[in-house]
Coordinates of all heavy atoms in Angstrom, one line a residue:
D1 N -24.5 -6.8 9.3 CA -23.9 -7.5 10.4 C -23.0 -6.6 11.2 O -22.4 -5.7 10.7 CB -23.1 -8.7 9.9 CG -23.9 -9.8 9.3 OD1 -25.0 -10.0 9.8 OD2 -23.5 -10.4 8.2
H2 N -22.9 -6.9 12.5 CA -22.1 -6.1 13.4 C -20.7 -6.9 13.7 O -20.7 -8.0 14.0 CB -22.8 -5.9 14.7 CG -22.1 -5.1 15.7 ND1 -20.8 -5.1 15.8 CD2 -22.6 -4.3 16.7 CE1 -20.4 -4.3 16.8 NE2 -21.5 -3.8 17.4
I3 N -19.6 -6.1 13.5 CA -18.3 -6.7 13.8 C -17.7 -6.0 15.0 O -17.6 -4.7 15.0 CB -17.4 -6.5 12.6 CG1 -17.9 -7.2 11.3 CG2 -16.0 -7.0 12.9 CD1 -18.0 -8.7 11.4
D4 N -17.4 -6.7 16.0 CA -16.7 -6.1 17.2 C -15.2 -6.2 17.0 O -14.6 -7.2 17.1 CB -17.1 -6.9 18.5 CG -16.6 -6.2 19.7 OD1 -15.9 -5.1 19.6 OD2 -16.8 -6.8 20.8
L5 N -14.6 -5.0 16.6 CA -13.2 -5.0 16.3 C -12.3 -5.3 17.5 O -11.2 -5.8 17.3 CB -12.8 -3.6 15.7 CG -13.4 -3.3 14.4 CD1 -13.0 -1.9 13.9 CD2 -13.0 -4.3 13.3
S6 N -12.8 -5.1 18.7 CA -12.0 -5.4 19.9 C -11.8 -6.9 20.1 O -10.8 -7.4 20.7 CB -12.6 -4.8 21.1 OG -13.8 -5.3 21.4
T7 N -12.7 -7.7 19.5 CA -12.6 -9.2 19.7 C -12.4 -9.9 18.4 O -12.2 -11.1 18.4 CB -13.9 -9.8 20.4 OG1 -15.0 -9.5 19.5 CG2 -14.1 -9.2 21.7
A8 N -12.4 -9.2 17.3 CA -12.2 -9.9 16.0 C -10.8 -10.4 15.8 O -9.9 -9.8 16.4 CB -12.6 -8.9 14.9
K9 N -10.7 -11.4 15.0 CA -9.3 -12.0 14.8 C -8.6 -11.0 13.9 O -9.0 -10.7 12.8 CB -9.5 -13.4 14.1 CG -8.2 -14.0 13.8 CD -8.4 -15.3 13.0 CE -7.1 -15.8 12.5 NZ -7.3 -16.7 11.4
K10 N -7.4 -10.6 14.3 CA -6.6 -9.7 13.6 C -5.3 -10.3 13.1 O -4.7 -11.2 13.8 CB -6.2 -8.5 14.4 CG -7.4 -7.6 14.8 CD -6.9 -6.5 15.7 CE -8.1 -5.7 16.2 NZ -7.8 -4.8 17.3
V11 N -4.8 -9.9 12.0 CA -3.4 -10.3 11.5 C -2.6 -9.0 11.7 O -3.0 -8.0 11.1 CB -3.4 -10.7 10.1 CG1 -2.0 -11.0 9.6 CG2 -4.3 -11.9 9.9
R12 N -1.7 -9.0 12.6 CA -0.9 -7.8 12.9 C 0.3 -7.6 12.0 O 0.8 -8.5 11.4 CB -0.4 -7.9 14.4 CG -1.6 -8.0 15.4 CD -1.1 -7.7 16.8 NE -2.2 -7.9 17.7 CZ -3.1 -6.9 18.0 NH1 -3.0 -5.8 17.4 NH2 -4.0 -7.1 18.9
N13 N 0.6 -6.3 11.9 CA 1.8 -5.8 11.1 C 1.8 -6.3 9.7 O 2.8 -6.8 9.2 CB 3.1 -6.3 11.8 CG 3.2 -5.8 13.2 OD1 2.8 -4.6 13.5 ND2 3.6 -6.6 14.2
V14 N 0.7 -6.1 9.0 CA 0.6 -6.4 7.6 C 1.1 -5.2 6.8 O 0.8 -4.0 7.2 CB -0.9 -6.7 7.2 CG1 -1.0 -6.9 5.7 CG2 -1.4 -7.9 8.0
E15 N 1.8 -5.4 5.7 CA 2.4 -4.3 4.9 C 2.0 -4.5 3.5 O 1.9 -5.6 3.0 CB 3.9 -4.3 5.0 CG 4.4 -4.1 6.4 CD 5.9 -4.1 6.5 OE1 6.6 -4.3 5.4 OE2 6.5 -3.9 7.6
G16 N 1.7 -3.4 2.8 CA 1.5 -3.3 1.4 C 2.1 -2.1 0.8 O 2.4 -1.1 1.5
S17 N 2.3 -2.2 -0.5 CA 3.0 -1.1 -1.2 C 2.4 -0.9 -2.6 O 1.9 -1.8 -3.2 CB 4.5 -1.3 -1.3 OG 4.8 -2.4 -2.0
S18 N 2.6 0.3 -3.1 CA 2.2 0.7 -4.5 C 3.4 1.5 -5.0 O 3.6 2.6 -4.4 CB 0.9 1.4 -4.5 OG 0.6 1.9 -5.8
V19 N 4.1 1.0 -6.0 CA 5.4 1.7 -6.4 C 5.4 1.9 -7.9 O 5.0 1.0 -8.7 CB 6.6 0.8 -6.0 CG1 7.9 1.5 -6.4 CG2 6.6 0.5 -4.5
G20 N 5.8 3.1 -8.3 CA 6.0 3.4 -9.7 C 7.4 3.9 -10.0 O 8.0 4.6 -9.2
H21 N 7.9 3.5 -11.2 CA 9.2 4.0 -11.6 C 9.1 4.6 -13.0 O 8.2 4.2 -13.8 CB 10.2 2.8 -11.7 CG 10.3 2.0 -10.5 ND1 11.2 2.3 -9.5 CD2 9.7 0.9 -10.1 CE1 11.1 1.3 -8.6 NE2 10.2 0.5 -8.9
I22 N 9.9 5.6 -13.3 CA 10.0 6.1 -14.6 C 11.5 6.2 -14.9 O 12.3 6.8 -14.2 CB 9.4 7.5 -14.8 CG1 7.9 7.4 -14.6 CG2 9.7 8.0 -16.2 CD1 7.1 8.7 -14.8
V23 N 11.9 5.4 -15.9 CA 13.4 5.4 -16.3 C 13.4 6.0 -17.7 O 12.9 5.5 -18.7 CB 13.9 4.0 -16.3 CG1 15.4 4.0 -16.8 CG2 13.7 3.3 -15.0
I24 N 14.1 7.2 -17.8 CA 14.2 7.9 -19.0 C 12.9 8.0 -19.8 O 12.8 7.5 -20.9 CB 15.4 7.4 -19.9 CG1 16.7 7.2 -19.0 CG2 15.6 8.3 -21.1 CD1 17.8 6.6 -19.7
F25 N 11.9 8.5 -19.2 CA 10.5 8.7 -19.7 C 9.7 7.4 -20.0 O 8.6 7.4 -20.5 CB 10.6 9.4 -21.1 CG 11.3 10.8 -21.0 CD1 12.5 11.0 -21.5 CD2 10.7 11.8 -20.2 CE1 13.1 12.2 -21.4 CE2 11.3 13.0 -20.1 CZ 12.5 13.2 -20.7
F26 N 10.2 6.2 -19.6 CA 9.5 5.0 -19.7 C 9.0 4.5 -18.4 O 9.8 4.2 -17.5 CB 10.4 3.9 -20.4 CG 10.8 4.2 -21.8 CD1 12.1 4.7 -22.0 CD2 10.0 4.1 -22.8 CE1 12.5 5.0 -23.3 CE2 10.4 4.4 -24.1 CZ 11.6 4.8 -24.3
P27 N 7.6 4.4 -18.2 CA 7.1 4.0 -16.9 C 7.2 2.5 -16.7 O 7.1 1.7 -17.6 CB 5.6 4.5 -17.0 CG 5.3 4.5 -18.5 CD 6.6 4.8 -19.2
A28 N 7.3 2.2 -15.4 CA 7.3 0.8 -15.0 C 6.6 0.7 -13.7 O 6.7 1.6 -12.8 CB 8.7 0.2 -14.8
G29 N 5.8 -0.3 -13.5 CA 5.0 -0.4 -12.2 C 3.8 0.5 -12.4 O 3.3 0.8 -13.5
E30 N 3.3 1.0 -11.3 CA 2.1 1.9 -11.3 C 2.5 3.3 -11.7 O 3.4 3.8 -11.1 CB 1.4 1.9 -10.0 CG 0.8 0.5 -9.7 CD -0.3 0.6 -8.6 OE1 -1.0 1.6 -8.6 OE2 -0.4 -0.3 -7.8
L31 N 1.7 3.9 -12.6 CA 2.1 5.3 -13.0 C 1.8 6.3 -11.9 O 2.6 7.2 -11.6 CB 1.3 5.7 -14.2 CG 1.7 6.9 -15.0 CD1 3.2 6.8 -15.3 CD2 0.9 7.1 -16.2
N32 N 0.7 6.0 -11.1 CA 0.3 6.9 -10.0 C 0.1 6.0 -8.8 O -1.1 5.6 -8.5 CB -0.9 7.7 -10.3 CG -0.6 8.7 -11.4 OD1 0.3 9.5 -11.3 ND2 -1.5 8.7 -12.5
P33 N 1.1 5.7 -8.0 CA 0.9 4.9 -6.8 C -0.1 5.5 -5.9 O -0.2 6.8 -5.7 CB 2.3 4.9 -6.2 CG 3.2 5.1 -7.3 CD 2.5 6.1 -8.2
N34 N -1.0 4.7 -5.2 CA -2.0 5.2 -4.3 C -2.3 4.3 -3.2 O -1.8 3.1 -3.2 CB -3.3 5.5 -5.1 CG -3.8 4.3 -5.8 OD1 -4.2 3.4 -5.2 ND2 -3.8 4.3 -7.2
V35 N -3.0 4.8 -2.2 CA -3.3 4.0 -1.0 C -4.1 2.8 -1.3 O -3.9 1.7 -0.8 CB -4.0 4.9 0.1 CG1 -4.4 4.0 1.3 CG2 -3.0 6.0 0.5
E36 N -5.1 2.9 -2.2 CA -6.0 1.8 -2.5 C -5.2 0.6 -3.1 O -5.4 -0.6 -2.7 CB -7.1 2.2 -3.5 CG -8.0 1.0 -3.9 CD -9.1 1.5 -4.8 OE1 -9.1 2.6 -5.3 OE2 -10.0 0.6 -5.1
S37 N -4.2 0.9 -4.0 CA -3.4 -0.2 -4.5 C -2.5 -0.8 -3.5 O -2.3 -2.0 -3.4 CB -2.5 0.4 -5.7 OG -3.3 0.8 -6.7
A38 N -2.0 0.0 -2.5 CA -1.2 -0.5 -1.4 C -2.0 -1.4 -0.5 O -1.5 -2.4 -0.1 CB -0.6 0.7 -0.7
M39 N -3.3 -1.0 -0.3 CA -4.1 -1.9 0.6 C -4.4 -3.2 -0.2 O -4.3 -4.2 0.5 CB -5.4 -1.2 0.9 CG -5.3 -0.1 1.9 SD -6.8 0.7 2.5 CE -8.1 0.3 1.3
N40 N -4.7 -3.1 -1.5 CA -5.0 -4.4 -2.2 C -3.7 -5.3 -2.2 O -3.9 -6.5 -2.1 CB -5.4 -4.1 -3.6 CG -6.8 -3.5 -3.7 OD1 -7.6 -3.7 -2.8 ND2 -7.1 -2.7 -4.7
D41 N -2.5 -4.7 -2.3 CA -1.3 -5.5 -2.2 C -1.2 -6.2 -0.9 O -0.9 -7.4 -0.8 CB -0.1 -4.6 -2.4 CG 1.2 -5.3 -2.4 OD1 1.4 -6.3 -3.1 OD2 2.1 -4.9 -1.5
A42 N -1.6 -5.5 0.2 CA -1.5 -6.1 1.5 C -2.6 -7.2 1.7 O -2.3 -8.3 2.3 CB -1.7 -5.0 2.6
F43 N -3.8 -7.0 1.1 CA -4.9 -7.9 1.3 C -4.6 -9.2 0.5 O -5.1 -10.3 0.8 CB -6.2 -7.4 0.8 CG -6.7 -6.3 1.7 CD1 -7.5 -5.2 1.2 CD2 -6.5 -6.3 3.1 CE1 -8.0 -4.2 2.0 CE2 -7.0 -5.3 3.9 CZ -7.7 -4.2 3.3
K44 N -3.7 -9.2 -0.5 CA -3.3 -10.4 -1.3 C -2.6 -11.4 -0.4 O -2.6 -12.6 -0.6 CB -2.4 -10.0 -2.5 CG -3.1 -9.4 -3.6 CD -2.2 -9.3 -4.8 CE -1.0 -8.5 -4.6 NZ -0.2 -8.3 -5.8
N45 N -1.9 -10.9 0.6 CA -1.1 -11.7 1.5 C -1.8 -12.3 2.7 O -1.3 -13.2 3.3 CB 0.1 -10.9 1.9 CG 1.0 -10.5 0.8 OD1 1.1 -11.2 -0.2 ND2 1.5 -9.2 0.9
V46 N -2.9 -11.7 3.1 CA -3.7 -12.2 4.2 C -5.1 -12.3 3.9 O -5.6 -11.7 3.0 CB -3.5 -11.2 5.5 CG1 -2.0 -11.2 5.9 CG2 -4.0 -9.9 5.2
D47 N -5.9 -13.0 4.8 CA -7.3 -13.2 4.6 C -8.0 -12.1 5.4 O -8.3 -12.3 6.5 CB -7.7 -14.6 5.1 CG -9.2 -14.9 4.8 OD1 -9.7 -14.2 3.8 OD2 -9.8 -15.7 5.4
G48 N -8.2 -10.9 4.8 CA -8.8 -9.8 5.5 C -9.3 -8.8 4.5 O -8.9 -8.8 3.3
D49 N -10.1 -7.8 5.0 CA -10.6 -6.8 4.1 C -10.7 -5.4 4.7 O -11.3 -4.5 4.2 CB -11.9 -7.2 3.5 CG -12.9 -7.5 4.5 OD1 -12.7 -7.2 5.7 OD2 -13.9 -8.2 4.1
L50 N -10.2 -5.3 6.0 CA -10.3 -4.0 6.7 C -9.0 -3.7 7.5 O -8.6 -4.6 8.2 CB -11.5 -4.0 7.7 CG -11.7 -2.8 8.6 CD1 -12.2 -1.6 7.7 CD2 -12.6 -3.1 9.7
F51 N -8.4 -2.5 7.3 CA -7.3 -2.1 8.1 C -7.7 -1.4 9.3 O -8.6 -0.6 9.3 CB -6.4 -1.2 7.3 CG -5.2 -1.8 6.6 CD1 -5.3 -2.2 5.3 CD2 -4.0 -2.0 7.3 CE1 -4.2 -2.8 4.6 CE2 -3.0 -2.6 6.7 CZ -3.1 -3.0 5.3
T52 N -7.0 -1.8 10.4 CA -7.2 -1.0 11.7 C -5.7 -0.6 12.1 O -4.8 -1.2 11.7 CB -7.8 -1.8 12.8 OG1 -7.0 -2.9 13.1 CG2 -9.2 -2.3 12.4
N53 N -5.7 0.5 12.9 CA -4.3 1.0 13.3 C -3.4 1.2 12.1 O -2.2 0.9 12.2 CB -3.7 0.1 14.3 CG -4.6 -0.1 15.6 OD1 -5.2 0.9 16.0 ND2 -4.6 -1.3 16.1
A54 N -3.9 1.7 11.0 CA -3.2 1.8 9.8 C -2.3 3.1 9.8 O -2.6 4.1 10.3 CB -4.1 1.9 8.6
R55 N -1.1 2.9 9.2 CA -0.1 4.0 9.1 C 0.2 4.0 7.6 O 0.6 3.0 7.0 CB 1.1 3.7 9.9 CG 0.8 3.8 11.4 CD 1.9 3.2 12.3 NE 2.3 1.8 12.0 CZ 1.6 0.7 12.4 NH1 0.5 0.9 13.0 NH2 2.0 -0.5 12.1
V56 N 0.1 5.2 7.0 CA 0.4 5.4 5.6 C 1.5 6.4 5.4 O 1.6 7.4 6.1 CB -0.9 5.9 4.8 CG1 -0.6 6.2 3.4 CG2 -2.0 4.9 5.0
H57 N 2.5 6.1 4.5 CA 3.5 7.0 4.2 C 3.9 6.9 2.8 O 3.6 5.8 2.1 CB 4.7 6.9 5.2 CG 5.5 5.6 5.0 ND1 5.1 4.5 5.7 CD2 6.6 5.3 4.3 CE1 6.0 3.5 5.4 NE2 6.9 4.0 4.6
S58 N 4.5 7.9 2.2 CA 5.0 7.9 0.8 C 6.4 8.3 0.7 O 7.0 9.0 1.6 CB 4.1 8.8 0.0 OG 4.3 10.1 0.4
T59 N 7.1 7.9 -0.4 CA 8.4 8.3 -0.6 C 8.5 8.8 -2.1 O 7.7 8.3 -2.9 CB 9.4 7.1 -0.4 OG1 9.1 6.1 -1.3 CG2 9.4 6.7 1.0
F60 N 9.5 9.6 -2.3 CA 9.7 10.1 -3.7 C 11.2 10.3 -3.9 O 11.8 10.9 -3.0 CB 8.9 11.5 -3.9 CG 9.1 12.0 -5.2 CD1 8.3 11.6 -6.3 CD2 10.0 13.0 -5.5 CE1 8.4 12.1 -7.5 CE2 10.1 13.6 -6.8 CZ 9.3 13.1 -7.8
F61 N 11.7 9.8 -5.0 CA 13.1 10.0 -5.3 C 13.2 10.4 -6.8 O 12.5 9.8 -7.6 CB 13.9 8.7 -5.0 CG 15.3 8.8 -5.4 CD1 16.2 9.5 -4.6 CD2 15.8 8.2 -6.5 CE1 17.6 9.6 -4.9 CE2 17.1 8.3 -6.9 CZ 18.0 9.0 -6.0
W62 N 14.0 11.4 -7.1 CA 14.1 11.8 -8.5 C 15.5 12.3 -8.9 O 16.1 13.0 -8.2 CB 13.1 13.0 -8.6 CG 13.0 13.6 -10.0 CD1 12.7 12.9 -11.1 CD2 13.0 15.0 -10.3 NE1 12.6 13.8 -12.1 CE2 12.8 15.1 -11.7 CE3 13.2 16.1 -9.6 CZ2 12.7 16.3 -12.3 CZ3 13.2 17.3 -10.2 CH2 12.9 17.4 -11.6
I63 N 15.9 11.8 -10.0 CA 17.1 12.2 -10.7 C 16.6 12.8 -12.0 O 16.2 12.1 -12.8 CB 18.2 11.1 -10.9 CG1 18.6 10.5 -9.6 CG2 19.4 11.7 -11.7 CD1 19.5 9.3 -9.8
P64 N 16.7 14.2 -12.2 CA 16.1 14.8 -13.3 C 16.4 14.1 -14.7 O 17.6 13.9 -14.9 CB 16.6 16.2 -13.3 CG 16.9 16.4 -11.8 CD 17.4 15.1 -11.3
Y65 N 15.4 13.8 -15.4 CA 15.5 13.2 -16.8 C 16.0 11.8 -16.9 O 16.2 11.3 -17.9 CB 16.3 14.2 -17.7 CG 15.8 15.6 -17.7 CD1 16.6 16.6 -17.1 CD2 14.6 15.9 -18.2 CE1 16.1 17.9 -17.0 CE2 14.1 17.2 -18.1 CZ 14.9 18.2 -17.6 OH 14.4 19.5 -17.5
I66 N 16.4 11.2 -15.7 CA 16.9 9.9 -15.8 C 16.0 8.9 -15.0 O 15.7 7.8 -15.6 CB 18.4 9.9 -15.1 CG1 19.3 10.8 -16.0 CG2 18.9 8.5 -15.0 CD1 20.7 11.0 -15.3
Y67 N 15.6 9.2 -13.8 CA 14.9 8.2 -13.0 C 14.0 8.9 -12.0 O 14.4 9.9 -11.4 CB 15.9 7.3 -12.2 CG 15.3 6.3 -11.3 CD1 14.7 5.2 -11.9 CD2 15.3 6.5 -10.0 CE1 14.1 4.2 -11.1 CE2 14.7 5.5 -9.1 CZ 14.2 4.4 -9.7 OH 13.6 3.5 -8.9
R68 N 12.8 8.3 -11.8 CA 11.9 8.8 -10.7 C 11.3 7.6 -10.1 O 10.9 6.6 -10.8 CB 10.8 9.7 -11.3 CG 9.9 10.2 -10.3 CD 8.7 10.9 -10.9 NE 7.6 9.9 -11.1 CZ 6.4 10.1 -11.5 NH1 6.1 11.3 -11.8 NH2 5.6 9.1 -11.6
R69 N 11.2 7.6 -8.8 CA 10.5 6.5 -8.0 C 9.6 7.2 -7.1 O 9.9 8.0 -6.3 CB 11.5 5.7 -7.2 CG 10.9 4.6 -6.5 CD 12.0 3.8 -5.7 NE 11.5 2.6 -5.2 CZ 10.9 2.5 -4.0 NH1 10.7 3.5 -3.3 NH2 10.5 1.3 -3.6
N70 N 8.3 6.8 -7.1 CA 7.2 7.3 -6.3 C 6.6 6.1 -5.6 O 6.2 5.1 -6.4 CB 6.3 8.1 -7.2 CG 5.3 8.9 -6.4 OD1 5.5 9.1 -5.2 ND2 4.2 9.3 -7.0
A71 N 6.3 6.1 -4.3 CA 5.8 4.9 -3.7 C 4.8 5.3 -2.5 O 5.1 6.3 -1.9 CB 6.9 4.0 -3.1
M72 N 3.8 4.5 -2.3 CA 2.9 4.6 -1.2 C 3.0 3.3 -0.4 O 3.0 2.2 -1.0 CB 1.5 4.9 -1.6 CG 1.2 6.2 -2.3 SD 1.3 7.5 -1.1 CE -0.3 7.5 -0.5
Y73 N 3.0 3.4 0.9 CA 3.1 2.2 1.8 C 2.0 2.3 2.8 O 1.7 3.4 3.3 CB 4.5 2.2 2.5 CG 5.6 2.1 1.6 CD1 6.3 3.3 1.2 CD2 6.1 0.9 1.0 CE1 7.4 3.2 0.4 CE2 7.1 0.9 0.2 CZ 7.8 2.0 -0.2 OH 8.9 2.0 -1.0
I74 N 1.5 1.1 3.2 CA 0.5 1.1 4.3 C 1.0 -0.1 5.2 O 1.5 -1.1 4.7 CB -0.9 0.9 3.8 CG1 -1.9 1.0 5.0 CG2 -1.1 -0.4 3.0 CD1 -3.3 1.2 4.5
E75 N 0.8 0.1 6.5 CA 1.1 -1.0 7.4 C 0.1 -0.9 8.6 O -0.4 0.2 8.9 CB 2.5 -1.0 7.9 CG 2.9 0.3 8.5 CD 4.4 0.3 8.9 OE1 4.8 -0.3 9.8 OE2 5.1 1.0 8.1
G76 N -0.3 -2.0 9.1 CA -1.2 -2.0 10.2 C -1.8 -3.4 10.5 O -1.3 -4.4 10.0
D77 N -2.9 -3.5 11.1 CA -3.6 -4.7 11.5 C -4.7 -4.9 10.5 O -5.4 -4.0 10.1 CB -4.1 -4.7 12.9 CG -3.0 -4.4 13.9 OD1 -1.8 -4.7 13.6 OD2 -3.3 -3.9 15.0
V78 N -5.0 -6.2 10.1 CA -6.0 -6.5 9.1 C -7.1 -7.4 9.8 O -6.7 -8.4 10.4 CB -5.5 -7.1 7.8 CG1 -6.6 -7.6 6.9 CG2 -4.6 -6.1 7.1
V79 N -8.3 -7.1 9.5 CA -9.4 -7.9 10.1 C -10.3 -8.3 8.9 O -10.5 -7.6 7.9 CB -10.3 -7.0 11.0 CG1 -11.5 -7.8 11.5 CG2 -9.5 -6.5 12.2
K80 N -10.9 -9.5 9.0 CA -11.8 -10.0 8.0 C -13.2 -9.7 8.4 O -13.6 -10.2 9.5 CB -11.6 -11.5 7.7 CG -12.5 -12.0 6.6 CD -12.2 -13.5 6.3 CE -13.1 -13.9 5.2 NZ -12.9 -15.3 4.8
T81 N -13.9 -8.9 7.7 CA -15.3 -8.6 8.0 C -16.3 -9.3 7.2 O -17.5 -9.4 7.5 CB -15.6 -7.1 7.9 OG1 -15.4 -6.7 6.6 CG2 -14.6 -6.3 8.8
R82 N -15.9 -9.8 6.0 CA -16.8 -10.5 5.1 C -16.7 -12.0 5.3 O -15.7 -12.5 5.6 CB -16.5 -10.1 3.6 CG -16.6 -8.6 3.4 CD -16.3 -8.4 1.9 NE -16.4 -6.9 1.7 CZ -15.6 -6.3 0.9 NH1 -14.8 -6.9 0.1 NH2 -15.7 -5.0 0.8
K83 N -17.8 -12.6 5.0 CA -17.9 -14.1 5.1 C -17.7 -14.8 3.8 O -17.8 -14.3 2.8 CB -19.2 -14.5 5.8 CG -19.3 -14.0 7.2 CD -20.5 -14.4 7.9 CE -20.5 -13.9 9.3 NZ -21.5 -14.0 10.1

């Protein structure tokens, strides 16, 4: 099937994240945050399966031997291509 993205119904400014924490060697959340997990997080909130105009960024914060936070974020417009 052909989807015309210029006329397809879009949900704008959808955000998703994938976050992992390690507190004194004990992991919490995702061990290795990634874009796919961030996209799936965003798709849970809207009825869609394709990002357009997507922006991806990551953050990292670390206090040696005490705490680490690693995160991936995605934001953009979502379109539903599947029926």
